[in-house]
Amino acid sequence: TLLLHGNIITSLRMAPAYLPRCLAILSLAENEIRDLNEVSFLASLTELEQLSIMNNPCVMATPSIPGFDYRPYIVSWCLSLRVLDGYVISQKE
């Protein structure tokens, strides 16, 4: 378990080098991640079961993208995820 919420993190580019592959629970909530593509750097965490990325600019609804659902995109990169932002990942996702 690694809790990194509220740390002004802007990029996950170095995550593969610094985070252990066996990490199962990761909280990145309430940071400053603006590009959802940063999630691709978590793909090497093959044991990751729970991720929190809520309250980051990349997942916040905006007037220009009112009903944007970021969950399927994150699940496509983090294949072992079971829980995202506190909600169990559905079969459809």
Side-chain angles (χ1 to χ4, degrees), residues 15-46:
Y18 292 106
L19 298 181
R21 288 177 171 250
C22 62
L23 191 62
I25 301 171
L26 176 60
S27 175
L28 294 167
E30 299 174 16
N31 278 290
E32 294 298 323
I33 301 168
R34 299 189 177 285
D35 186 351
L36 193 55
N37 292 316
E38 292 288 326
V39 172
S40 67
F41 296 110
L42 300 179
S44 64
L45 303 178
T46 55

Side-chain angles (χ1 to χ4, degrees), residues 6-91:
N7 275 290
I8 316 172
I9 295 169
T10 59
S11 175
L12 301 175
R13 187 171 311 276
M14 297 305 293
Y18 292 106
L19 298 181
R21 288 177 171 250
C22 62
L23 191 62
I25 301 171
L26 176 60
S27 175
L28 294 167
E30 299 174 16
N31 278 290
E32 294 298 323
I33 301 168
R34 299 189 177 285
D35 186 351
L36 193 55
N37 292 316
E38 292 288 326
V39 172
S40 67
F41 296 110
L42 300 179
S44 64
L45 303 178
T46 55
E47 313 260 330
L48 191 63
E49 293 183 2
Q50 296 182 42
L51 174 65
S52 179
I53 196 164
M54 62 182 144
N55 296 329
N56 275 277
C58 65
V59 296
M60 309 272 282
T62 63
S64 59
I65 320 171
F68 174 65
D69 186 5
Y70 62 93
R71 292 174 59 89
Y73 182 77
I74 292 175
V75 171
S76 73
W77 279 107
C78 303
L79 300 176
S80 58
L81 270 188
R82 301 288 171 255
V83 178
L84 177 57
D85 289 337
Y87 294 95
V88 174
I89 293 169
S90 69
Q91 185 66 33

